[in-house]
Amino acid sequence: MANKVIIPEDHRFAYEQAIRLAGAQIVSVQTPDELSSALGTGEVAMVCLLGRNEGSSSLPLDTLLASAHAAGVPVLINAAGLSPANPDRWIGRGADLVVYAGGKYLRGPQSTAIVLGRRKLCEAMWWNSAPHQAFGRSMKVGKEEAIGAVVALDRWINSAAAEKERDGWRPRLQSIAVHLHDIAGVETNVLSWAGSVTAIRLKVSWDKSVIPLDAEGLRLALLRQRPRILIHDFWSTPTSIILDPINLSDDEADTVGRALSAIFVRSQEFATSAQVPPAETDVTGLWLVELSFVRGRKEHRIELRQHGTEVTGIHQTATSHGRIVGKIRGSKIELEAEHEATPIHLFYRFEGMVGRDGSIVGTARFGGAAPEHLGPVFKGQYGPGTWSATRVASTQIATAPAGDGAISEGRKC
């Protein structure tokens, strides 16, 4: 059975594990020649493209469609966060299937999706899903949810109320921006990805020499206010955030603008001003680490180099290695290890105390995040654990290239 799915390198996405879970092996290609070579094996079941990346890809739909169809391979567009229309633009351009999320902008049930395309392929999905006794049974969508998704799709395409709702997104963002307009060091910019991402969004940036907050500090400050306001950490950087208007009413957008303005104006009050204590010990050296996950244990190694209160190093697992950055304040140590892999990077966050005997004991969090989602939520999405470390001989760690093994290690969380 053909069991390979081609995804161009610049279309790789964080949720492609859904393809692997179906038993497929992902083949990544970068050029038309690599695409032709992969298609020529006769082992390819599908080509998958990420809709929002298609405009900037070296292998867009129009470039690869003829080759895929000549090999008898269908092309699926992952358009989860994009906007369906009638007629559908992807199907109109020759794609065989396109899938949209039912629970995002359509506001249908969260567990649903809309799949459009070739009748025989859609029928094949139906026969392999609930209520039939096939592998799709485990991904059952209830009848009520299916009807809810159809109603949401009909409203999105045909309802004047839904169109009016979309027309209100820009004024809401402008309402927020007005409150920030005259604050020194703060800039706003409306982002629009026409034909790609459905919603426009507002990017708020600030000069850290004027506003001594990072995005996480801002997020936590907004949660401490009343009313509590939650902003995405998905697209945050140390000096910027992005706001999405679709979950706000007009009054709520005004509330968000006022809250942001108040925190930026009083940013010195929210900034951490405590004096940084010097390091009480030097953690330079090679350490044997025992990690306890929700279920199971693993032994890793870390090599640390300390410069004052700053710590760098290498984190070695059985299958990959990652870069460490961190700090030590007094006897408290905080480290973050990042293991590069495609399509997401694996993260280990270590916090602990260095004991009088030189050992370290503390808590850990594990996660995986794509480059555009580097906030604390995704970095901790695999849950908590504990760790202990003992210093051993100060020898160099042998490193190996990071790859899919990093993801495999993450699954053991």
Side-chain angles (χ1 to χ4, degrees):
M1 179 183 293
N3 70 336
K4 294 183 178 178
V5 172
I6 295 174
I7 304 181
E9 183 69 27
D10 50 15
H11 285 261
R12 300 292 295 273
F13 56 98
Y15 299 97
E16 64 186 39
Q17 73 268 23
I19 295 173
R20 295 196 298 270
L21 286 171
Q25 175 185 342
I26 292 173
V27 177
S28 186
V29 299
Q30 293 182 302
T31 66
D33 286 344
E34 291 179 358
L35 173 69
S36 297
S37 178
L39 288 169
T41 64
E43 299 174 339
V44 177
M46 184 176 76
V47 173
C48 179
L49 301 181
L50 183 61
R52 61 185 173 87
N53 284 11
E54 205 259 347
S56 59
S57 172
S58 60
L59 285 172
L61 176 63
D62 297 338
T63 297
L64 58 75
L65 190 63
S67 297
H69 283 176
V73 174
V75 178
L76 166 74
I77 306 295
N78 171 8
L82 309 187
S83 173
N86 186 18
D88 185 82
R89 66 190 186 96
W90 301 103
I91 302 302
R93 290 173 56 194
D96 300 281
L97 289 170
V98 56
V99 57
Y100 298 97
K104 293 184 183 292
Y105 300 112
L106 297 187
R107 296 187 177 183
Q110 183 65 23
S111 63
T112 61
I114 307 295
V115 184
L116 309 173
R118 284 171 48 193
R119 183 181 185 92
K120 287 186 178 296
L121 292 175
C122 291
E123 286 179 343
M125 293 182 200
W126 162 247
W127 290 114
N128 283 282
S129 64
H132 311 114
Q133 307 304 321
F135 77 93
R137 179 79 183 189
S138 61
M139 296 171 275
K140 182 178 180 180
V141 175
K143 295 181 287 291
E144 302 86 352
E145 295 168 307
I147 294 300
V150 172
V151 171
L153 178 63
D154 178 64
R155 180 181 182 274
W156 177 269
I157 292 176
N158 298 317
S159 170
E163 185 175 354
K164 181 179 179 181
E165 168 69 15
R166 295 194 288 273
D167 290 341
W169 290 346
R170 185 177 294 274
R172 289 174 200 161
L173 295 182
Q174 292 171 337
S175 172
I176 296 172
V178 164
H179 288 288
L180 307 178
H181 183 266
D182 295 325
I183 301 176
V186 177
E187 295 183 357
T188 60
N189 181 31
V190 174
L191 305 177
S192 178
W193 296 279
S196 178
V197 178
T198 299
I200 57 174
R201 298 183 175 119
L202 182 70
K203 183 175 183 179
V204 181
S205 308
W206 58 93
D207 183 342
K208 203 164 184 179
S209 67
V210 180
I211 309 291
L213 284 175
D214 59 17
E216 180 63 4
L218 176 62
R219 189 179 75 89
L220 295 176
L222 286 168
L223 284 173
R224 287 193 292 265
Q225 304 302 298
R226 293 295 182 272
R228 300 175 78 223
I229 295 170
L230 177 64
I231 59 175
H232 280 311
D233 74 323
F234 291 179
W235 310 291
S236 62
T237 73
T239 56
S240 71
I241 58 170
I242 293 180
L243 304 177
D244 196 321
I246 68 165
N247 294 314
L248 299 176
S249 66
D250 294 341
D251 289 342
E252 288 169 340
D254 184 70
T255 299
V256 170
R258 292 179 185 278
L260 282 169
S261 174
I263 290 175
F264 281 134
V265 169
R266 299 163 46 212
S267 61
Q268 295 289 344
E269 300 176 28
F270 295 95
T272 301
S273 57
Q275 185 174 3
V276 176
E280 296 178 359
T281 186
D282 191 332
V283 295
T284 298
L286 182 64
W287 296 76
L288 181 65
V289 176
E290 183 174 282
L291 275 171
S292 295
F293 304 103
V294 174
R295 179 173 173 82
R297 295 171 179 267
K298 275 289 179 181
E299 285 191 352
H300 293 180
R301 292 187 296 171
I302 57 176
E303 183 182 13
L304 302 178
R305 299 172 183 83
Q306 183 175 332
H307 306 279
T309 58
E310 302 302 309
V311 181
T312 59
I314 297 172
H315 175 214
Q316 183 78 52
T317 75
T319 54
S320 68
H321 75 282
R323 300 182 302 273
I324 290 176
V325 294
K327 57 189 177 183
I328 182 167
R329 306 287 190 263
S331 59
K332 182 179 180 181
I333 188 168
E334 298 178 358
L335 305 171
E336 182 177 273
E338 179 178 0
H339 294 239
E340 295 185 8
T342 302
I344 62 175
H345 292 192
L346 189 65
F347 289 88
Y348 294 77
R349 173 79 179 180
F350 301 97
E351 294 185 1
M353 301 294 292
V354 182
R356 292 183 177 179
D357 62 354
S359 65
I360 305 174
V361 176
T363 59
R365 290 196 68 86
F366 317 107
E372 68 268 29
H373 293 160
L374 289 181
V377 171
F378 280 96
K379 285 184 177 181
Q381 67 170 309
Y382 299 152
T386 60
W387 70 296
S388 61
T390 304
R391 184 156 23 196
V392 295
S394 297
T395 56
Q396 295 290 323
I397 293 178
T399 60
D404 287 343
I407 302 302
S408 298
E409 185 69 24
R411 294 196 188 108
K412 294 169 185 171
C413 299

